[in-house]
Amino acid sequence: MQLRKFFGLCALSASIALAGCGGNKQEQAAAPADGAAAQTIKVGVMSGPEHAVAEVAAKIAKEKYNLDVQYTEFNDYAMPNTAVSTGELDANAFQHKPYLDKDSAEKNLDNLVIVGNTFVYPLAGYSKKIKSLDELQDGATVAVPNDPSNLARALILLEKQGLIKLKDNTNLFSTSLDIVENPKNLQIKEVDTSVAARALDDVELAVVNNNYAGQVGLTADDGVFVEDKDSPYVNIIVARSDNAESEAVQNFVKAFQSDEVEAEAKKQFKDGVVKGW
């Protein structure tokens, strides 16, 4: 996957831009007028609205903590944790804990730690063919995200709507095999998380992550149903065990957990977010 680098708020020299993160070492930019050296932190975020929200955190980080934030944008969930674990990035902000636990276990990323909360981004069920669940016909096709944690999350949401019943609705890694009742004989179609919203032309209903829904112009208000605001799936900021307590990481967390970032998130996601700190 090709990564697109975005640099926040100040121009960096080519040598700095190409330097690796390397453990918990902090890169030094040119000293500002007050003599205090600026630090640089490299952070992975998802492209689209989440990146727009993160840019406000970069602005706060520079203004309050003299911290330059470099963002690497990702278009799917496969690489951000590996990039932090190997030191290519210092931190990322894109996932919730169930996803982190699963991804870390599968890839042996045992050096990743949570350093702060961001927002809950509710899932919703969208459709171009029905306005309410009463219109959902027997045998209809329902698209759900195929990554393990979001698949379970979507299935739990479908159960809350009375569409299916799971063997254990507290299992955050349930799969389609755990459906024990399906009164409408729905065809559950697992699709790549990043393209679930674009499956709406081909299915009767799709459960879509908020950030991907936003990329095709959908908001929670467009949903046939929406995940409760008290969802336990709060997104998190993740770093490594060797840099979690560093000044740069801690200041980035404080910058992200600011009123300005919350306001931008509500703007980008049409109030479809809940502050998680």
Side-chain angles (χ1 to χ4, degrees):
M1 176 182 63
Q2 185 177 7
L3 306 183
R4 295 176 292 145
K5 302 285 185 177
F6 287 78
F7 300 91
L9 306 178
C10 70
L12 301 179
S13 69
S15 61
I16 292 176
L18 294 174
C21 291
N24 63 356
K25 295 179 181 178
Q26 297 297 329
E27 301 174 37
Q28 301 296 317
D34 61 6
Q39 290 183 317
T40 299
I41 186 171
K42 295 182 177 181
V43 181
V45 296
M46 300 305 293
S47 60
E50 288 189 35
H51 174 237
V53 173
E55 283 292 357
V56 176
K59 180 175 182 291
I60 299 300
K62 182 61 176 177
E63 292 175 351
K64 291 188 176 181
Y65 308 110
N66 198 22
L67 176 66
D68 292 318
V69 181
Q70 292 182 9
Y71 287 121
T72 295
E73 289 188 61
F74 293 88
N75 292 312
D76 62 49
Y77 296 157
M79 292 300 297
N81 282 330
T82 300
V84 174
S85 180
T86 60
E88 181 182 350
L89 299 176
D90 298 304
N92 64 46
F94 79 100
Q95 66 193 313
H96 46 60
K97 186 176 184 297
Y99 184 86
L100 172 66
D101 290 345
K102 186 71 172 179
D103 201 39
S104 296
E106 290 180 348
K107 299 174 182 176
N108 296 316
L109 308 177
D110 56 3
N111 61 341
L112 299 182
V113 296
I114 299 170
V115 292
N117 290 349
T118 61
F119 300 99
V120 177
Y121 295 93
L123 267 67
Y126 297 95
S127 178
K128 292 184 177 181
K129 300 176 182 179
I130 65 172
K131 298 295 185 183
S132 72
L133 289 179
D134 293 338
E135 302 173 32
L136 191 64
Q137 299 295 311
D138 287 0
T141 301
V142 179
V144 294
N146 67 354
D147 70 272
S149 61
N150 281 306
L151 170 58
R153 185 178 179 183
L155 294 175
I156 291 169
L157 182 57
L158 291 176
E159 182 182 84
K160 287 184 176 181
Q161 310 312 308
L163 296 176
I164 61 172
K165 183 175 177 59
L166 295 169
K167 184 186 304 181
D168 177 8
N169 63 13
T170 66
N171 178 7
L172 300 183
F173 297 104
S174 294
T175 72
S176 300
L177 298 176
D178 295 306
I179 298 173
V180 293
E181 293 182 20
N182 185 358
K184 284 183 174 289
N185 296 309
L186 300 175
Q187 304 301 307
I188 306 299
K189 180 179 181 181
E190 298 180 15
V191 300
D192 188 272
T193 306
S194 63
V195 301
R198 293 178 173 85
L200 284 170
D201 290 329
D202 304 315
V203 301
E204 283 73 27
L205 185 70
V207 180
V208 184
N209 296 62
N210 198 322
N211 57 319
Y212 290 120
Q215 291 180 18
V216 296
L218 295 171
T219 72
D221 291 338
D222 300 313
V224 178
F225 53 86
V226 182
E227 192 174 31
D228 293 338
K229 296 287 188 177
D230 60 357
S231 168
Y233 289 86
V234 61
N235 274 26
I236 51 180
I237 300 171
V238 170
R240 292 184 307 280
S241 54
D242 68 351
N243 74 344
E245 298 299 324
S246 69
E247 184 178 29
V249 168
Q250 291 299 310
N251 284 341
F252 176 74
V253 172
K254 287 187 285 187
F256 209 110
Q257 294 177 344
S258 62
D259 292 342
E260 294 89 341
V261 171
E262 180 186 8
E264 183 65 21
K266 289 184 174 181
K267 174 184 173 183
Q268 291 291 330
F269 292 98
K270 312 298 182 187
D271 290 325
V273 296
V274 178
K275 183 173 73 171
W277 63 90

PDB file of all heavy atoms in Angstrom, residues 110-144:
ATOM      1  N   ASP A 110       3.437  -7.149  20.412  1.00  0.00           N
ATOM      2  CA  ASP A 110       3.265  -7.109  21.864  1.00  0.00           C
ATOM      3  C   ASP A 110       3.840  -5.856  22.515  1.00  0.00           C
ATOM      4  O   ASP A 110       3.833  -5.728  23.741  1.00  0.00           O
ATOM      5  CB  ASP A 110       3.875  -8.356  22.510  1.00  0.00           C
ATOM      6  CG  ASP A 110       5.349  -8.541  22.163  1.00  0.00           C
ATOM      7  OD1 ASP A 110       5.927  -7.687  21.465  1.00  0.00           O
ATOM      8  OD2 ASP A 110       5.920  -9.572  22.591  1.00  0.00           O
ATOM      9  N   ASN A 111       4.325  -4.907  21.710  1.00  0.00           N
ATOM     10  CA  ASN A 111       4.887  -3.685  22.282  1.00  0.00           C
ATOM     11  C   ASN A 111       3.958  -2.483  22.129  1.00  0.00           C
ATOM     12  O   ASN A 111       4.361  -1.342  22.369  1.00  0.00           O
ATOM     13  CB  ASN A 111       6.241  -3.363  21.657  1.00  0.00           C
ATOM     14  CG  ASN A 111       6.161  -3.116  20.153  1.00  0.00           C
ATOM     15  OD1 ASN A 111       5.189  -3.518  19.503  1.00  0.00           O
ATOM     16  ND2 ASN A 111       7.183  -2.482  19.597  1.00  0.00           N
ATOM     17  N   LEU A 112       2.697  -2.715  21.747  1.00  0.00           N
ATOM     18  CA  LEU A 112       1.764  -1.612  21.560  1.00  0.00           C
ATOM     19  C   LEU A 112       0.950  -1.382  22.835  1.00  0.00           C
ATOM     20  O   LEU A 112       0.489  -2.330  23.469  1.00  0.00           O
ATOM     21  CB  LEU A 112       0.815  -1.903  20.391  1.00  0.00           C
ATOM     22  CG  LEU A 112       1.473  -2.086  19.028  1.00  0.00           C
ATOM     23  CD1 LEU A 112       0.410  -2.328  17.955  1.00  0.00           C
ATOM     24  CD2 LEU A 112       2.334  -0.871  18.662  1.00  0.00           C
ATOM     25  N   VAL A 113       0.771  -0.109  23.194  1.00  0.00           N
ATOM     26  CA  VAL A 113       0.034   0.240  24.406  1.00  0.00           C
ATOM     27  C   VAL A 113      -0.905   1.407  24.120  1.00  0.00           C
ATOM     28  O   VAL A 113      -0.648   2.240  23.246  1.00  0.00           O
ATOM     29  CB  VAL A 113       0.976   0.610  25.570  1.00  0.00           C
ATOM     30  CG1 VAL A 113       1.826  -0.586  25.983  1.00  0.00           C
ATOM     31  CG2 VAL A 113       1.868   1.784  25.201  1.00  0.00           C
ATOM     32  N   ILE A 114      -1.989   1.466  24.880  1.00  0.00           N
ATOM     33  CA  ILE A 114      -2.954   2.557  24.757  1.00  0.00           C
ATOM     34  C   ILE A 114      -2.472   3.742  25.588  1.00  0.00           C
ATOM     35  O   ILE A 114      -2.126   3.588  26.764  1.00  0.00           O
ATOM     36  CB  ILE A 114      -4.344   2.111  25.236  1.00  0.00           C
ATOM     37  CG1 ILE A 114      -4.853   0.951  24.382  1.00  0.00           C
ATOM     38  CG2 ILE A 114      -5.334   3.274  25.208  1.00  0.00           C
ATOM     39  CD1 ILE A 114      -6.102   0.285  24.937  1.00  0.00           C
ATOM     40  N   VAL A 115      -2.474   4.927  24.979  1.00  0.00           N
ATOM     41  CA  VAL A 115      -2.027   6.114  25.699  1.00  0.00           C
ATOM     42  C   VAL A 115      -3.136   7.149  25.885  1.00  0.00           C
ATOM     43  O   VAL A 115      -2.952   8.137  26.602  1.00  0.00           O
ATOM     44  CB  VAL A 115      -0.815   6.776  24.997  1.00  0.00           C
ATOM     45  CG1 VAL A 115       0.404   5.873  25.107  1.00  0.00           C
ATOM     46  CG2 VAL A 115      -1.112   7.102  23.544  1.00  0.00           C
ATOM     47  N   GLY A 116      -4.299   6.944  25.264  1.00  0.00           N
ATOM     48  CA  GLY A 116      -5.398   7.877  25.445  1.00  0.00           C
ATOM     49  C   GLY A 116      -6.590   7.512  24.601  1.00  0.00           C
ATOM     50  O   GLY A 116      -6.476   6.737  23.638  1.00  0.00           O
ATOM     51  N   ASN A 117      -7.757   8.044  24.965  1.00  0.00           N
ATOM     52  CA  ASN A 117      -8.987   7.839  24.204  1.00  0.00           C
ATOM     53  C   ASN A 117      -9.246   9.014  23.271  1.00  0.00           C
ATOM     54  O   ASN A 117      -8.803  10.140  23.531  1.00  0.00           O
ATOM     55  CB  ASN A 117     -10.187   7.699  25.139  1.00  0.00           C
ATOM     56  CG  ASN A 117     -10.171   6.409  25.925  1.00  0.00           C
ATOM     57  OD1 ASN A 117      -9.379   5.509  25.656  1.00  0.00           O
ATOM     58  ND2 ASN A 117     -11.041   6.308  26.909  1.00  0.00           N
ATOM     59  N   THR A 118      -9.995   8.755  22.197  1.00  0.00           N
ATOM     60  CA  THR A 118     -10.418   9.846  21.313  1.00  0.00           C
ATOM     61  C   THR A 118     -11.953   9.884  21.268  1.00  0.00           C
ATOM     62  O   THR A 118     -12.579  10.447  22.144  1.00  0.00           O
ATOM     63  CB  THR A 118      -9.812   9.707  19.906  1.00  0.00           C
ATOM     64  OG1 THR A 118     -10.243   8.476  19.304  1.00  0.00           O
ATOM     65  CG2 THR A 118      -8.296   9.736  19.957  1.00  0.00           C
ATOM     66  N   PHE A 119     -12.578   9.249  20.288  1.00  0.00           N
ATOM     67  CA  PHE A 119     -14.021   9.339  20.127  1.00  0.00           C
ATOM     68  C   PHE A 119     -14.639   7.975  19.865  1.00  0.00           C
ATOM     69  O   PHE A 119     -13.969   7.046  19.431  1.00  0.00           O
ATOM     70  CB  PHE A 119     -14.369  10.249  18.930  1.00  0.00           C
ATOM     71  CG  PHE A 119     -13.871  11.655  19.061  1.00  0.00           C
ATOM     72  CD1 PHE A 119     -12.706  12.053  18.431  1.00  0.00           C
ATOM     73  CD2 PHE A 119     -14.559  12.587  19.824  1.00  0.00           C
ATOM     74  CE1 PHE A 119     -12.241  13.347  18.543  1.00  0.00           C
ATOM     75  CE2 PHE A 119     -14.106  13.879  19.950  1.00  0.00           C
ATOM     76  CZ  PHE A 119     -12.940  14.261  19.310  1.00  0.00           C
ATOM     77  N   VAL A 120     -15.922   7.883  20.131  1.00  0.00           N
ATOM     78  CA  VAL A 120     -16.728   6.786  19.629  1.00  0.00           C
ATOM     79  C   VAL A 120     -17.307   7.227  18.291  1.00  0.00           C
ATOM     80  O   VAL A 120     -17.930   8.283  18.197  1.00  0.00           O
ATOM     81  CB  VAL A 120     -17.882   6.428  20.584  1.00  0.00           C
ATOM     82  CG1 VAL A 120     -18.742   5.320  19.976  1.00  0.00           C
ATOM     83  CG2 VAL A 120     -17.340   5.998  21.939  1.00  0.00           C
ATOM     84  N   TYR A 121     -17.045   6.436  17.253  1.00  0.00           N
ATOM     85  CA  TYR A 121     -17.607   6.687  15.925  1.00  0.00           C
ATOM     86  C   TYR A 121     -18.672   5.627  15.662  1.00  0.00           C
ATOM     87  O   TYR A 121     -18.352   4.503  15.280  1.00  0.00           O
ATOM     88  CB  TYR A 121     -16.519   6.623  14.860  1.00  0.00           C
ATOM     89  CG  TYR A 121     -15.472   7.700  14.979  1.00  0.00           C
ATOM     90  CD1 TYR A 121     -14.290   7.472  15.691  1.00  0.00           C
ATOM     91  CD2 TYR A 121     -15.652   8.936  14.375  1.00  0.00           C
ATOM     92  CE1 TYR A 121     -13.319   8.461  15.801  1.00  0.00           C
ATOM     93  CE2 TYR A 121     -14.685   9.925  14.476  1.00  0.00           C
ATOM     94  CZ  TYR A 121     -13.530   9.681  15.190  1.00  0.00           C
ATOM     95  OH  TYR A 121     -12.577  10.662  15.290  1.00  0.00           O
ATOM     96  N   PRO A 122     -19.945   5.943  15.856  1.00  0.00           N
ATOM     97  CA  PRO A 122     -20.980   4.903  15.785  1.00  0.00           C
ATOM     98  C   PRO A 122     -21.106   4.272  14.400  1.00  0.00           C
ATOM     99  O   PRO A 122     -21.023   4.957  13.381  1.00  0.00           O
ATOM    100  CB  PRO A 122     -22.266   5.670  16.144  1.00  0.00           C
ATOM    101  CG  PRO A 122     -21.806   6.903  16.841  1.00  0.00           C
ATOM    102  CD  PRO A 122     -20.493   7.244  16.215  1.00  0.00           C
ATOM    103  N   LEU A 123     -21.320   2.966  14.377  1.00  0.00           N
ATOM    104  CA  LEU A 123     -21.712   2.277  13.150  1.00  0.00           C
ATOM    105  C   LEU A 123     -23.185   2.563  12.872  1.00  0.00           C
ATOM    106  O   LEU A 123     -23.948   2.865  13.792  1.00  0.00           O
ATOM    107  CB  LEU A 123     -21.532   0.768  13.277  1.00  0.00           C
ATOM    108  CG  LEU A 123     -20.211   0.156  12.805  1.00  0.00           C
ATOM    109  CD1 LEU A 123     -19.076   0.611  13.693  1.00  0.00           C
ATOM    110  CD2 LEU A 123     -20.299  -1.364  12.807  1.00  0.00           C
ATOM    111  N   ALA A 124     -23.555   2.444  11.614  1.00  0.00           N
ATOM    112  CA  ALA A 124     -24.965   2.605  11.253  1.00  0.00           C
ATOM    113  C   ALA A 124     -25.295   1.673  10.104  1.00  0.00           C
ATOM    114  O   ALA A 124     -24.421   1.266   9.334  1.00  0.00           O
ATOM    115  CB  ALA A 124     -25.269   4.051  10.870  1.00  0.00           C
ATOM    116  N   GLY A 125     -26.560   1.338   9.995  1.00  0.00           N
ATOM    117  CA  GLY A 125     -27.053   0.566   8.862  1.00  0.00           C
ATOM    118  C   GLY A 125     -27.643   1.503   7.829  1.00  0.00           C
ATOM    119  O   GLY A 125     -28.557   2.267   8.131  1.00  0.00           O
ATOM    120  N   TYR A 126     -27.109   1.455   6.613  1.00  0.00           N
ATOM    121  CA  TYR A 126     -27.536   2.354   5.540  1.00  0.00           C
ATOM    122  C   TYR A 126     -28.199   1.554   4.423  1.00  0.00           C
ATOM    123  O   TYR A 126     -27.910   0.372   4.226  1.00  0.00           O
ATOM    124  CB  TYR A 126     -26.342   3.122   4.968  1.00  0.00           C
ATOM    125  CG  TYR A 126     -25.647   4.028   5.953  1.00  0.00           C
ATOM    126  CD1 TYR A 126     -24.523   3.595   6.647  1.00  0.00           C
ATOM    127  CD2 TYR A 126     -26.116   5.320   6.188  1.00  0.00           C
ATOM    128  CE1 TYR A 126     -23.868   4.426   7.549  1.00  0.00           C
ATOM    129  CE2 TYR A 126     -25.474   6.163   7.086  1.00  0.00           C
ATOM    130  CZ  TYR A 126     -24.350   5.707   7.766  1.00  0.00           C
ATOM    131  OH  TYR A 126     -23.727   6.529   8.661  1.00  0.00           O
ATOM    132  N   SER A 127     -29.067   2.220   3.690  1.00  0.00           N
ATOM    133  CA  SER A 127     -29.709   1.569   2.557  1.00  0.00           C
ATOM    134  C   SER A 127     -30.150   2.610   1.539  1.00  0.00           C
ATOM    135  O   SER A 127     -30.538   3.727   1.898  1.00  0.00           O
ATOM    136  CB  SER A 127     -30.938   0.769   3.029  1.00  0.00           C
ATOM    137  OG  SER A 127     -31.586   0.165   1.917  1.00  0.00           O
ATOM    138  N   LYS A 128     -30.081   2.216   0.274  1.00  0.00           N
ATOM    139  CA  LYS A 128     -30.650   3.014  -0.809  1.00  0.00           C
ATOM    140  C   LYS A 128     -32.015   2.472  -1.226  1.00  0.00           C
ATOM    141  O   LYS A 128     -32.671   3.051  -2.102  1.00  0.00           O
ATOM    142  CB  LYS A 128     -29.711   3.022  -2.023  1.00  0.00           C
ATOM    143  CG  LYS A 128     -28.406   3.770  -1.800  1.00  0.00           C
ATOM    144  CD  LYS A 128     -27.584   3.818  -3.085  1.00  0.00           C
ATOM    145  CE  LYS A 128     -26.311   4.635  -2.897  1.00  0.00           C
ATOM    146  NZ  LYS A 128     -25.514   4.711  -4.155  1.00  0.00           N
ATOM    147  N   LYS A 129     -32.428   1.375  -0.591  1.00  0.00           N
ATOM    148  CA  LYS A 129     -33.628   0.681  -1.054  1.00  0.00           C
ATOM    149  C   LYS A 129     -34.764   0.651  -0.038  1.00  0.00           C
ATOM    150  O   LYS A 129     -35.920   0.438  -0.407  1.00  0.00           O
ATOM    151  CB  LYS A 129     -33.252  -0.752  -1.463  1.00  0.00           C
ATOM    152  CG  LYS A 129     -32.210  -0.780  -2.579  1.00  0.00           C
ATOM    153  CD  LYS A 129     -31.765  -2.190  -2.916  1.00  0.00           C
ATOM    154  CE  LYS A 129     -30.688  -2.160  -3.999  1.00  0.00           C
ATOM    155  NZ  LYS A 129     -30.191  -3.500  -4.348  1.00  0.00           N
ATOM    156  N   ILE A 130     -34.443   0.847   1.228  1.00  0.00           N
ATOM    157  CA  ILE A 130     -35.479   0.856   2.251  1.00  0.00           C
ATOM    158  C   ILE A 130     -35.301   2.065   3.159  1.00  0.00           C
ATOM    159  O   ILE A 130     -34.202   2.602   3.290  1.00  0.00           O
ATOM    160  CB  ILE A 130     -35.481  -0.435   3.095  1.00  0.00           C
ATOM    161  CG1 ILE A 130     -34.169  -0.544   3.900  1.00  0.00           C
ATOM    162  CG2 ILE A 130     -35.693  -1.661   2.221  1.00  0.00           C
ATOM    163  CD1 ILE A 130     -34.175  -1.680   4.910  1.00  0.00           C
ATOM    164  N   LYS A 131     -36.386   2.483   3.780  1.00  0.00           N
ATOM    165  CA  LYS A 131     -36.361   3.598   4.716  1.00  0.00           C
ATOM    166  C   LYS A 131     -36.479   3.130   6.160  1.00  0.00           C
ATOM    167  O   LYS A 131     -36.107   3.841   7.085  1.00  0.00           O
ATOM    168  CB  LYS A 131     -37.505   4.578   4.413  1.00  0.00           C
ATOM    169  CG  LYS A 131     -37.418   5.210   3.034  1.00  0.00           C
ATOM    170  CD  LYS A 131     -36.188   6.086   2.895  1.00  0.00           C
ATOM    171  CE  LYS A 131     -36.169   6.800   1.550  1.00  0.00           C
ATOM    172  NZ  LYS A 131     -34.937   7.613   1.380  1.00  0.00           N
ATOM    173  N   SER A 132     -37.022   1.940   6.364  1.00  0.00           N
ATOM    174  CA  SER A 132     -37.162   1.383   7.705  1.00  0.00           C
ATOM    175  C   SER A 132     -36.996  -0.120   7.633  1.00  0.00           C
ATOM    176  O   SER A 132     -37.130  -0.739   6.557  1.00  0.00           O
ATOM    177  CB  SER A 132     -38.529   1.734   8.296  1.00  0.00           C
ATOM    178  OG  SER A 132     -39.554   0.993   7.663  1.00  0.00           O
ATOM    179  N   LEU A 133     -36.714  -0.732   8.787  1.00  0.00           N
ATOM    180  CA  LEU A 133     -36.498  -2.177   8.816  1.00  0.00           C
ATOM    181  C   LEU A 133     -37.770  -2.952   8.494  1.00  0.00           C
ATOM    182  O   LEU A 133     -37.700  -4.121   8.092  1.00  0.00           O
ATOM    183  CB  LEU A 133     -35.953  -2.591  10.184  1.00  0.00           C
ATOM    184  CG  LEU A 133     -34.508  -2.157  10.475  1.00  0.00           C
ATOM    185  CD1 LEU A 133     -34.091  -2.595  11.865  1.00  0.00           C
ATOM    186  CD2 LEU A 133     -33.549  -2.714   9.427  1.00  0.00           C
ATOM    187  N   ASP A 134     -38.921  -2.330   8.649  1.00  0.00           N
ATOM    188  CA  ASP A 134     -40.176  -2.996   8.283  1.00  0.00           C
ATOM    189  C   ASP A 134     -40.218  -3.343   6.798  1.00  0.00           C
ATOM    190  O   ASP A 134     -40.943  -4.250   6.389  1.00  0.00           O
ATOM    191  CB  ASP A 134     -41.368  -2.098   8.628  1.00  0.00           C
ATOM    192  CG  ASP A 134     -41.539  -1.897  10.125  1.00  0.00           C
ATOM    193  OD1 ASP A 134     -41.029  -2.745  10.885  1.00  0.00           O
ATOM    194  OD2 ASP A 134     -42.168  -0.906  10.530  1.00  0.00           O
ATOM    195  N   GLU A 135     -39.440  -2.616   5.997  1.00  0.00           N
ATOM    196  CA  GLU A 135     -39.430  -2.840   4.555  1.00  0.00           C
ATOM    197  C   GLU A 135     -38.412  -3.892   4.125  1.00  0.00           C
ATOM    198  O   GLU A 135     -38.370  -4.267   2.952  1.00  0.00           O
ATOM    199  CB  GLU A 135     -39.120  -1.526   3.825  1.00  0.00           C
ATOM    200  CG  GLU A 135     -40.086  -0.387   4.128  1.00  0.00           C
ATOM    201  CD  GLU A 135     -39.616   0.922   3.517  1.00  0.00           C
ATOM    202  OE1 GLU A 135     -38.985   0.892   2.447  1.00  0.00           O
ATOM    203  OE2 GLU A 135     -39.866   1.975   4.126  1.00  0.00           O
ATOM    204  N   LEU A 136     -37.596  -4.358   5.065  1.00  0.00           N
ATOM    205  CA  LEU A 136     -36.551  -5.326   4.726  1.00  0.00           C
ATOM    206  C   LEU A 136     -37.185  -6.695   4.456  1.00  0.00           C
ATOM    207  O   LEU A 136     -37.824  -7.286   5.326  1.00  0.00           O
ATOM    208  CB  LEU A 136     -35.534  -5.427   5.864  1.00  0.00           C
ATOM    209  CG  LEU A 136     -34.248  -6.199   5.561  1.00  0.00           C
ATOM    210  CD1 LEU A 136     -33.445  -5.509   4.472  1.00  0.00           C
ATOM    211  CD2 LEU A 136     -33.406  -6.348   6.828  1.00  0.00           C
ATOM    212  N   GLN A 137     -37.000  -7.188   3.249  1.00  0.00           N
ATOM    213  CA  GLN A 137     -37.639  -8.427   2.825  1.00  0.00           C
ATOM    214  C   GLN A 137     -36.851  -9.656   3.266  1.00  0.00           C
ATOM    215  O   GLN A 137     -35.633  -9.607   3.490  1.00  0.00           O
ATOM    216  CB  GLN A 137     -37.782  -8.440   1.296  1.00  0.00           C
ATOM    217  CG  GLN A 137     -38.635  -7.309   0.741  1.00  0.00           C
ATOM    218  CD  GLN A 137     -40.083  -7.415   1.189  1.00  0.00           C
ATOM    219  OE1 GLN A 137     -40.698  -8.475   1.097  1.00  0.00           O
ATOM    220  NE2 GLN A 137     -40.625  -6.300   1.688  1.00  0.00           N
ATOM    221  N   ASP A 138     -37.568 -10.780   3.382  1.00  0.00           N
ATOM    222  CA  ASP A 138     -36.907 -12.053   3.653  1.00  0.00           C
ATOM    223  C   ASP A 138     -35.882 -12.339   2.556  1.00  0.00           C
ATOM    224  O   ASP A 138     -36.129 -12.097   1.369  1.00  0.00           O
ATOM    225  CB  ASP A 138     -37.916 -13.190   3.683  1.00  0.00           C
ATOM    226  CG  ASP A 138     -38.785 -13.169   4.934  1.00  0.00           C
ATOM    227  OD1 ASP A 138     -38.588 -12.264   5.763  1.00  0.00           O
ATOM    228  OD2 ASP A 138     -39.646 -14.059   5.072  1.00  0.00           O
ATOM    229  N   GLY A 139     -34.722 -12.854   2.965  1.00  0.00           N
ATOM    230  CA  GLY A 139     -33.673 -13.200   2.018  1.00  0.00           C
ATOM    231  C   GLY A 139     -32.839 -12.035   1.548  1.00  0.00           C
ATOM    232  O   GLY A 139     -31.972 -12.200   0.677  1.00  0.00           O
ATOM    233  N   ALA A 140     -33.069 -10.838   2.116  1.00  0.00           N
ATOM    234  CA  ALA A 140     -32.307  -9.655   1.711  1.00  0.00           C
ATOM    235  C   ALA A 140     -30.822  -9.839   2.035  1.00  0.00           C
ATOM    236  O   ALA A 140     -30.456 -10.562   2.968  1.00  0.00           O
ATOM    237  CB  ALA A 140     -32.846  -8.412   2.404  1.00  0.00           C
ATOM    238  N   THR A 141     -29.977  -9.176   1.248  1.00  0.00           N
ATOM    239  CA  THR A 141     -28.535  -9.229   1.472  1.00  0.00           C
ATOM    240  C   THR A 141     -28.103  -8.046   2.325  1.00  0.00           C
ATOM    241  O   THR A 141     -28.447  -6.898   2.034  1.00  0.00           O
ATOM    242  CB  THR A 141     -27.768  -9.216   0.138  1.00  0.00           C
ATOM    243  OG1 THR A 141     -28.177 -10.339  -0.643  1.00  0.00           O
ATOM    244  CG2 THR A 141     -26.268  -9.280   0.370  1.00  0.00           C
ATOM    245  N   VAL A 142     -27.337  -8.347   3.376  1.00  0.00           N
ATOM    246  CA  VAL A 142     -26.842  -7.327   4.298  1.00  0.00           C
ATOM    247  C   VAL A 142     -25.319  -7.382   4.296  1.00  0.00           C
ATOM    248  O   VAL A 142     -24.726  -8.418   4.622  1.00  0.00           O
ATOM    249  CB  VAL A 142     -27.378  -7.557   5.723  1.00  0.00           C
ATOM    250  CG1 VAL A 142     -26.833  -6.482   6.672  1.00  0.00           C
ATOM    251  CG2 VAL A 142     -28.902  -7.555   5.730  1.00  0.00           C
ATOM    252  N   ALA A 143     -24.677  -6.286   3.909  1.00  0.00           N
ATOM    253  CA  ALA A 143     -23.212  -6.217   3.904  1.00  0.00           C
ATOM    254  C   ALA A 143     -22.712  -5.781   5.278  1.00  0.00           C
ATOM    255  O   ALA A 143     -23.264  -4.862   5.890  1.00  0.00           O
ATOM    256  CB  ALA A 143     -22.736  -5.240   2.834  1.00  0.00           C
ATOM    257  N   VAL A 144     -21.665  -6.442   5.752  1.00  0.00           N
ATOM    258  CA  VAL A 144     -21.046  -6.105   7.032  1.00  0.00           C
ATOM    259  C   VAL A 144     -19.534  -6.058   6.847  1.00  0.00           C
ATOM    260  O   VAL A 144     -18.993  -6.718   5.956  1.00  0.00           O
ATOM    261  CB  VAL A 144     -21.417  -7.133   8.128  1.00  0.00           C
ATOM    262  CG1 VAL A 144     -22.901  -7.084   8.448  1.00  0.00           C
ATOM    263  CG2 VAL A 144     -20.990  -8.544   7.729  1.00  0.00           C
TER     264      VAL A 144
END
